Amino acid sequence: MRAPILTKFVTLAIIPSCRGECAHGFTGADCTLRSCPTGVAFFDMAEIDDTAHLQTTCSGRGQCDYKTGECVCATGYVGIACERTKCKNDCSRRGTCVSMRHLADSTRNHESLQYSYQLWDADKLYGCDCDLGYAGYDCSLRVCPFGDDPLTLSENDDEIQLLRCTASASNGHFVLYFDGKASSAISASASAMTLKHALQTIPLIVDIQVSYTTGSTLCRDDGMDNIVYITFTHNPGPLPPLVAETFGMDPESVVEIAASTSFGMLTDHNGENHFSVKGNKENEECSNRG
């Protein structure tokens, strides 16, 4: 008798797959996974010259939770796509957490110059812009006073900066920046006392003396020059130059500042030269005595 022939059948489980594209917010072979937000990559491989930092899940700085569709960011990164750095300790509530783009657009440097920043990380790298009197990467440090060393006797010159405004006294105004901070509005017809008060609205200026060489009106357009002497009596130098920005003044209006070694002189309508003075007093933390 012949032995029976056994036939073995194997049942294959066929996993269905989605054809076409998943609905927005979903991914995976069967579209059951939630997709996470994407952002410009902090680090990736350049495809060709000058082509990098492409869009990637969680900006390459976090893990995607495919159940919730949310990014779990690495330490130091925040945002729905982990797209920006986190400010340490929320700037200790003594400053503002800002992007590099915002910092460039809203502040001026020590020389009161303003720049723009528009590279790939302009809205990704954040840092603390500390309030006046605070410093450190998280604004947790107090700034100590700076002053002239009382035990050195050879450096005694106060900084003197010169200003000349050629403009109609009836149109517009300007502001003066010192160390990146702006004064209140200054009218073209301002007196010496008014100019002094406007400059002292800058919190970095302790005290100054202001004097005019001609008349009592700041700006002139009659062919005569009013050379303004601004003496910094309580800000040891050398100091950054004042920088003027005009608003609503005639196009031919000019506000000149003489304060640097390369441009430290103004010549008036009589041919007389007026010279600025660079301060040489020390400007040291705790006046070098603490």
Side-chain angles (χ1 to χ4, degrees):
M1 181 175 181
R2 297 178 60 185
I5 299 175
L6 299 179
T7 303
K8 185 176 182 181
F9 295 94
V10 178
T11 301
L12 298 177
I14 300 176
I15 300 175
S17 62
C18 294
R19 297 181 178 180
E21 296 183 356
C22 297
H24 179 71
F26 292 87
T27 187
D30 57 355
C31 300
T32 59
L33 303 179
R34 297 294 302 269
S35 58
C36 286
T38 63
V40 174
F42 280 89
F43 307 100
D44 62 2
M45 294 293 293
E47 293 187 342
I48 57 175
D49 289 348
D50 298 324
T51 301
H53 305 291
L54 304 180
Q55 290 284 325
T56 189
T57 300
C58 301
S59 306
R61 294 290 91 191
Q63 296 294 325
C64 179
D65 184 338
Y66 289 104
K67 292 182 179 180
T68 64
E70 296 178 349
C71 293
V72 181
C73 299
T75 301
Y77 297 86
V78 293
I80 62 171
C82 308
E83 72 274 11
R84 64 182 181 87
T85 56
K86 180 180 180 180
C87 287
K88 188 73 172 180
N89 298 327
D90 291 328
C91 302
S92 306
R93 298 187 178 182
R94 298 294 183 181
T96 306
C97 185
V98 298
S99 68
M100 292 200 297
R101 184 193 305 276
H102 179 82
L103 183 68
D105 290 343
S106 61
T107 62
R108 293 173 180 247
N109 67 6
H110 181 62
E111 300 294 327
S112 296
L113 301 177
Q114 189 170 26
Y115 298 92
S116 62
Y117 188 81
Q118 301 177 5
L119 297 181
W120 69 269
D121 55 357
D123 298 312
K124 298 181 70 64
L125 296 186
Y126 276 62
C128 292
D129 183 19
C130 298
D131 297 338
L132 190 66
Y134 293 86
Y137 68 94
D138 62 350
C139 303
S140 62
L141 304 179
R142 293 295 301 268
V143 176
C144 292
F146 282 65
D148 183 32
D149 190 330
L151 299 185
T152 58
L153 304 177
S154 59
E155 295 86 8
N156 297 310
D157 293 335
D158 289 327
E159 176 105 0
I160 301 176
Q161 300 191 16
L162 307 179
L163 181 150
R164 174 169 56 196
C165 175
T166 304
S168 168
S170 60
N171 293 329
H173 68 276
F174 62 92
V175 299
L176 290 172
Y177 288 88
F178 175 75
D179 202 355
K181 307 299 182 183
S183 71
S184 59
I186 301 168
S187 168
S189 60
S191 66
M193 185 60 66
T194 301
L195 175 58
K196 176 179 178 178
H197 288 164
L199 282 168
Q200 288 182 322
T201 63
I202 301 174
L204 301 175
I205 294 180
V206 181
D207 193 20
I208 55 173
Q209 295 177 355
V210 176
S211 62
Y212 291 178
T213 60
T214 305
S216 59
T217 301
L218 174 57
C219 300
R220 303 183 69 98
D221 62 352
D222 57 359
M224 300 182 67
D225 293 318
N226 174 32
I227 306 298
V228 181
Y229 279 71
I230 302 171
T231 305
F232 294 82
T233 56
H234 288 77
N235 287 85
L239 301 176
L242 293 165
V243 174
E245 183 177 8
T246 62
F247 299 88
M249 300 179 73
D250 295 334
E252 61 272 15
S253 300
V254 178
V255 180
E256 302 168 86
I257 307 289
S260 65
T261 54
S262 59
F263 186 70
M265 180 187 75
L266 293 176
T267 302
D268 66 19
H269 57 280
N270 292 320
E272 180 180 353
N273 294 328
H274 299 261
F275 296 91
S276 63
V277 176
K278 292 306 296 178
N280 61 6
K281 295 180 179 180
E282 295 98 344
N283 188 22
E284 302 296 337
E285 187 176 57
C286 300
S287 302
N288 268 343
R289 297 298 115 190

